[in-house]
Amino acid sequence: MEPTASEAFEPSGLNRRALLRCGTMAGLGALVAAAPLLKSQGAVAVSAGAGGPEPSAPELKLTKFRDPLRIPPVLRPRDRGGYDELTVRMRTADVTVHSEMPPVTMWTYEGVFPGPTIKTVSGRPLRVVWENRLSGNIPVKAVDFASPTGRAPDPLTNYPGTAGTQEVAGVAGLEPWAAVHMHGMLTGGGNDGWMENLIGPGDVQLSAYPNAQAATTLWYHDHTHHVSRFSVYAGLAGLFLSRNEEEEALGLPDGARDVPLVLSDRNFDVDESGALVGRLVHKVEMIGPQKLMRAHAAPYTLVNGVVWPYLDVAPRWYRFRIANAANSRMYRLMLLADGKPVPGALKVIGTDQGLIDKPLAVDGALNLSPGERVDVLVDFSAFRGQALKLVNTLEGITPGASNKLNDLLEPDVMQFRVADQRPSGRFVLPETLSPTFKRLSHEDVPHDRAPRWVVVVGPGSTNVPELWEMEEVDPAGITFPTAGVVQVRDAEGAVVTLRRTAMAYDDGNTFTVAHGSTEIWKYLNLAASPHPMHVHLSHFQVLSRENYDISGFDRATRGSSRPIAFKAAAALEAHELGEKDVIRVGTAGQIGPNATVGELVTVALRFPVVGRGVHHCHMLEHEQHMVRPLVVSPAAHLQAGGGGHGHH
């Protein structure tokens, strides 16, 4: 095969030339099956550090830190002159996730979970043939269980198997339809993986990606309408990396020290003896007489498709590209040494859409909601001969401690074993990362038109959370509370009255925006839990996060009896200061009811591509009912048609 423009960048996984010889990776499945828990080549040369396997909670039956972290194989496109080209096949495969249990049947990209990491060069247009070769019905057993008197103090979601549950009707027979969304790629609506344009086995989805954006970490995943919570859970997810000269000039850790960490949680079935079997179980708790569905959570944490892995590292700087690919779990990550948090250990250098201007140390925990990515650097040179843990924790508990009530029976994520050798390498943390990145200022955002309002509301008559699109109205003549009407009092005391214009996916009044425009969107969370909001066809910066008293919202009437009132400004987190495509709206990791604590997050969105897309909650269990269409149209078309800012 002829060299491609991207071959200057060495992969951190399997041998580059061996993969290139595979063409469209016809032999990749057999290659990975032969080495189900293969380490990266560079990691093999690192001397073993301290640490070792540890027992997990007895009910979980698996040993922690027994298996090495698996680095996903790398796919690079062919050079076709003015663009690059790639074929990626979906197929059913048996995947080893832990050496102490049988392989798990999954729907995959190219036979591996997560799918191969696609590596490209920014500015090189890319065409991908997504080929559906999946077989059989969905390899997921979906069950739920009732807690009629309220949340269970130790819910069944903490444990494997299906005892005490009932099967969810209609899931077992799902056939392998698919729609691939390149999450974060700024591509037009026709190539975005529209969730209703499905392909069946033997069919292909042809997608053209401009790839005209900053060097960054994106991810691709299934986006099939109504059932993405099951299809992604079945294994249809993988990473996409792009590089450019600006990033290369920084001399960041590369090769085996540039490590992807794809986080997810899964549950598995057991046989009659209680032993784990290779079948995925999607289990949720239904609370109270209304049977309100809790956010999905599973007891086994997977990193790059391995349950509680370990990674041998040298006492040097490493780069970790962390992606939360879980259905609904929010990861509140800390690095522990000797059981205690290491302050500032994680240095954020990039966010969803690329590098930021300067490194930022994480103060406390790194909160990562589903769909978010973060690029961090970690220096292990001070920990030679030690073992460190990356853990998931919750606010209000000791980092590394268990919490059954909140589905955290086993908080460990992975182990780092630092070699007992002299630190090597001359990497110095750059003072400046991306000179082209710029935080938006007051002058950069529009002030001549009203912002868009999107309000997240707790379960109503349909027993599921709701996403309301709103418009500002004159309060004259309105009796409060009125269903679908919310008043908000800001920090200056000004009150705005909002009326719901759309809620269900097929309601009218679609947000229609002008191509090339910048808009202000305000996300107000009136629910008791956080929600990660994702907007297709755009990228944005977060301008502010503010706490609001939402006790004035009448949950029975579904409107405000008195204004939702500003309480205090809140700080943005380090990974929220760059270019984004997902933002958490609501407090992360909080224990206990927060029914009177709301949050208003203001973002400035840019729309560089045109077409029809969606904006939605990225908790996949909410995606089918917290999703609304979005249309980006050439400005001249809007003017010629008599449209403009507002609704279509």
Side-chain angles (χ1 to χ4, degrees):
M1 181 179 294
E2 292 296 318
T4 71
S6 61
E7 283 191 26
F9 307 127
E10 291 289 338
S12 57
L14 299 172
N15 180 270
R16 166 173 51 88
R17 297 192 182 279
L19 281 179
L20 288 171
R21 284 196 296 270
C22 291
T24 59
M25 299 186 64
L28 181 61
L31 182 62
V32 174
L37 290 171
L38 188 65
K39 289 192 253 186
S40 70
Q41 287 185 322
V44 174
V46 175
S47 301
E54 296 180 7
S56 66
E59 301 89 344
L60 299 182
K61 308 175 188 296
L62 297 179
T63 304
K64 296 184 295 187
F65 319 137
R66 180 182 178 90
D67 298 317
L69 180 73
R70 181 167 55 222
I71 305 300
V74 171
L75 265 179
R76 282 188 171 82
R78 299 183 185 90
D79 186 344
R80 296 302 193 194
Y83 63 93
D84 292 339
E85 186 177 72
L86 189 63
T87 296
V88 182
R89 300 180 302 183
M90 292 166 264
R91 64 184 187 88
T92 305
D94 292 332
V95 178
T96 299
V97 301
H98 195 284
S99 58
E100 294 176 339
M101 65 178 287
V104 178
T105 301
M106 304 183 82
W107 282 355
T108 72
Y109 297 102
E110 293 293 354
V112 293
F113 173 73
T117 298
I118 299 172
K119 288 192 174 182
T120 70
V121 177
S122 293
R124 288 285 300 173
L126 175 65
R127 298 179 185 179
V128 179
V129 178
W130 302 99
E131 184 176 334
N132 187 347
R133 293 195 180 184
L134 296 169
S135 59
N137 298 121
I138 194 163
V140 175
K141 186 172 184 179
V143 298
D144 61 28
F145 62 96
S147 300
T149 59
R151 286 183 56 189
D154 185 11
L156 295 175
T157 42
N158 282 320
Y159 308 105
T162 59
T165 69
Q166 61 182 3
E167 190 166 358
V168 177
V171 177
L174 288 175
E175 298 176 341
W177 295 95
V180 187
H181 171 53
M182 183 67 78
H183 181 122
M185 179 65 73
L186 300 175
T187 191
N191 296 293
D192 190 50
W194 183 256
M195 54 195 190
E196 292 162 325
N197 289 344
L198 305 179
I199 57 170
D203 202 355
V204 297
Q205 174 184 319
L206 306 176
S207 298
Y209 303 119
N211 203 16
Q213 53 201 91
T216 190
T217 303
L218 310 180
W219 67 303
Y220 57 95
H221 61 83
D222 190 69
H223 213 278
T224 303
H225 196 27
H226 300 298
V227 299
S228 62
R229 63 194 184 279
F230 302 123
S231 59
V232 174
Y233 195 78
L236 292 174
L239 284 189
F240 175 101
L241 307 184
S242 61
R243 306 286 292 270
N244 63 14
E245 292 181 358
E246 179 182 83
E247 180 186 8
E248 286 292 299
L250 295 172
L252 297 171
D254 60 3
R257 294 184 297 117
D258 181 355
V259 184
L261 300 179
V262 181
L263 308 182
S264 61
D265 59 346
R266 293 292 187 274
N267 206 341
F268 310 106
D269 210 349
V270 297
D271 62 18
E272 293 180 357
S273 71
L276 291 165
V277 298
R279 183 168 180 82
L280 291 167
V281 169
H282 181 281
K283 188 189 311 187
V284 293
E285 181 180 12
M286 311 299 284
I287 301 173
Q290 291 179 292
K291 294 188 175 180
L292 305 178
M293 183 174 68
R294 279 190 66 207
H296 174 269
Y300 299 94
T301 298
L302 282 69
V303 187
N304 294 353
V306 181
V307 178
W308 304 315
Y310 71 88
L311 178 66
D312 288 323
V313 297
R316 301 178 63 182
W317 283 91
Y318 279 71
R319 179 182 188 178
F320 296 105
R321 302 170 186 260
I322 309 175
N324 184 348
N327 276 31
S328 290
R329 184 182 288 276
M330 297 194 182
Y331 288 96
R332 191 169 184 270
L333 301 171
M334 285 187 175
L335 192 66
L336 306 186
D338 295 324
K340 298 179 181 179
V342 182
L346 304 178
K347 305 290 194 300
V348 173
I349 62 170
T351 60
D352 298 347
Q353 290 283 326
L355 296 174
I356 54 178
D357 53 347
K358 60 184 179 181
L360 296 173
V362 175
D363 182 15
L366 174 64
N367 296 297
L368 209 62
S369 61
E372 285 188 291
R373 290 88 62 210
V374 64
D375 202 343
V376 302
L377 296 179
V378 177
D379 183 7
F380 291 105
S381 61
F383 303 99
R384 53 182 295 189
Q386 298 183 48
L388 288 76
K389 289 183 181 180
L390 185 67
V391 302
N392 183 26
T393 186
L394 295 165
E395 187 176 330
I397 70 170
T398 302
S402 176
N403 185 272
K404 294 181 179 180
L405 174 65
N406 290 281
D407 298 289
L408 200 62
L409 175 62
E410 183 50 73
D412 288 344
V413 174
M414 66 179 294
Q415 183 186 71
F416 297 99
R417 302 175 183 176
V418 187
D420 189 7
Q421 61 191 45
R422 179 176 296 180
S424 59
R426 299 180 178 179
F427 175 76
V428 177
L429 188 66
E431 293 183 4
T432 300
L433 294 167
S434 173
T436 60
F437 171 79
K438 178 180 181 295
R439 279 288 294 172
L440 295 178
S441 65
H442 181 82
E443 291 72 25
D444 298 320
V445 298
H447 302 283
D448 57 345
R449 45 189 154 160
R452 309 259 188 192
W453 284 84
V454 179
V455 176
V456 176
V457 184
S461 59
T462 57
N463 295 340
V464 294
E466 297 170 353
L467 185 149
W468 295 0
E469 292 179 353
M470 313 290 282
E471 66 178 358
E472 295 186 23
V473 296
D474 188 334
I478 298 177
T479 301
F480 296 95
T482 292
V485 177
V486 175
Q487 286 192 310
V488 182
R489 179 182 292 117
D490 66 17
E492 284 72 41
V495 175
V496 61
T497 303
L498 308 171
R499 180 176 60 196
R500 185 179 65 218
T501 59
M503 176 179 68
Y505 171 65
D506 54 358
D507 285 346
N509 300 317
T510 301
F511 279 176
T512 301
V513 304
H515 174 233
S517 66
T518 299
E519 292 196 349
I520 302 299
W521 287 26
K522 290 183 175 291
Y523 286 103
L524 177 63
N525 190 348
L526 303 181
S529 62
H531 293 265
M533 308 311 297
H534 174 48
V535 186
H536 292 217
L537 312 183
S538 71
H539 57 130
F540 57 79
Q541 287 189 25
V542 186
L543 301 182
S544 64
R545 183 185 291 279
E546 298 171 317
N547 295 330
Y548 271 72
D549 178 1
I550 64 173
S551 59
F553 183 72
D554 189 308
R555 298 180 183 276
T557 306
R558 314 293 288 169
S560 59
S561 57
R562 64 179 186 277
I564 308 304
F566 172 85
K567 292 179 64 178
L572 296 177
E573 299 177 31
H575 72 288
E576 296 175 340
L577 294 172
E579 292 290 339
K580 298 278 292 170
D581 51 60
V582 178
I583 184 62
R584 184 194 79 245
V585 183
T587 303
Q590 185 174 30
I591 296 177
N594 59 346
T596 59
V597 178
E599 219 167 40
L600 177 69
V601 175
T602 302
V603 302
L605 293 112
R606 275 72 53 80
F607 298 92
V609 295
V610 301
R612 182 178 174 87
V614 290
H615 66 101
H616 61 88
C617 175
H618 216 284
M619 283 181 160
L620 298 187
E621 281 68 34
H622 297 170
E623 194 173 71
Q624 74 273 21
H625 55 264
M626 295 182 70
V627 57
R628 287 284 301 142
L630 168 70
V631 174
V632 183
S633 179
H637 291 198
L638 290 176
Q639 295 170 1
H645 180 78
H647 301 284
H648 174 66

